[in-house]
C-alpha cells in the first residue's frame, strides 16, 4: 500500500477513533447515497460541485459487502481526488488506482474487525462474512 494511504489510515483511526467506513463518511462530511446501479459497479466516488459523494448500489444496502465497497470508495477519495478525468485516457493508472483502493479497503475493514472484536480475525472468511471482504483479496492486507 502506498505510504500516503497507510498514513491516512493511521490518522483516521487516531483522529476519529474508528475504522468504520460509514462513520468516517459522516465525520468527513462525505455524502453517502444508495442508488440503483444495476449491481455494476457496486460503488462509485464522485465530486459534484465541489462536494464529495459516495454512491453504493441499493443491492448491497443490507449486505455485508457494503462495508468493503464503502471502504474501497473511501480509498479513492484519499488517493485520487481530482484525477477522475485522467482514468479515461490511462487504463494502466486506473488499474493501479483500483488495486490501491482495494488495499486501503482491506486494511480499513481489518482494522474495523479488530476494533469491534478486540482481536484479529483467525481466518479471512471472518472478514468476508462480516464486512464483505473478497476472499481473493488477502494479498492486499499489509503486515
Amino acid at each position: 500500500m502506498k505510504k500516503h494511504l497507510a498514513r491516512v489510515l493511521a490518522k483516521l483511526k487516531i483522529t476519529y477513533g474508528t475504522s468504520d467506513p460509514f462513520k468516517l463518511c459522516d465525520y468527513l462530511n462525505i455524502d453517502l447515497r444508495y442508488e440503483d446501479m444495476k449491481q455494476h459497479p457496486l460503488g462509485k466516488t464522485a465530486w459534484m460541485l465541489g462536494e464529495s459523494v459516495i454512491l453504493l448500489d441499493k443491492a448491497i444496502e443490507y449486505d455485508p459487502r457494503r462495508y468493503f465497497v464503502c471502504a474501497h470508495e473511501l480509498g479513492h477519495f484519499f488517493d485520487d481526488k481530482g484525477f477522475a478525468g485522467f482514468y479515461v485516457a490511462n487504463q494502466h493508472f486506473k488499474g493501479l488506482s483500483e488495486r490501491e483502493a482495494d488495499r486501503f479497503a482491506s486494511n480499513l475493514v481489518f482494522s474495523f474487525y479488530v476494533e469491534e472484536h478486540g482481536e484479529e480475525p483467525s481466518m479471512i472468511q471472518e472478514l468476508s462474512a462480516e464486512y464483505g471482504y473478497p476472499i481473493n483479496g488477502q494479498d492486499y492486507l499489509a503486515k
Side-chain angles (χ1 to χ4, degrees):
M1 180 166 49
K2 287 183 183 177
K3 289 181 183 179
H4 163 72
L5 290 179
R7 284 192 302 268
V8 167
L9 278 170
K11 187 172 182 173
L12 288 172
K13 182 71 174 175
I14 290 167
T15 303
Y16 300 109
T18 187
S19 295
D20 181 333
F22 294 97
K23 287 182 181 176
L24 291 173
C25 284
D26 284 342
Y27 293 138
L28 296 165
N29 294 316
I30 298 172
D31 188 14
L32 180 70
R33 301 178 194 172
Y34 287 94
E35 300 288 339
D36 185 5
M37 298 167 63
K38 309 293 185 219
Q39 296 189 28
H40 187 73
L42 292 176
K44 180 107 176 104
T45 301
W47 293 270
M48 296 187 288
L49 303 172
E51 299 294 321
S52 304
V53 179
I54 290 179
L55 303 172
L56 300 179
D57 193 298
K58 276 188 176 281
I60 64 169
E61 189 170 1
Y62 302 103
D63 185 300
R65 293 178 295 168
R66 72 187 182 274
Y67 289 97
F68 187 84
V69 175
C70 183
H72 174 98
E73 297 308 323
L74 275 173
H76 284 305
F77 174 80
F78 290 110
D79 192 35
D80 51 44
K81 191 171 185 176
F83 291 104
F86 186 63
Y87 293 148
V88 176
N90 189 334
Q91 290 300 314
H92 175 72
F93 183 76
K94 183 175 182 179
L96 289 173
S97 177
E98 291 301 313
R99 287 191 298 276
E100 284 302 311
D102 279 346
R103 284 183 184 97
F104 180 88
S106 296
N107 288 281
L108 187 66
V109 298
F110 184 90
S111 178
F112 187 40
Y113 184 96
V114 172
E115 179 183 320
E116 287 201 311
H117 297 275
E119 63 185 12
E120 294 182 359
S122 58
M123 296 175 30
I124 289 296
Q125 288 79 357
E126 292 170 304
L127 285 176
S128 182
E130 289 196 44
Y131 308 116
Y133 182 82
I135 296 295
N136 64 353
Q138 60 190 354
D139 293 335
Y140 289 128
L141 288 171
K143 294 289 180 186

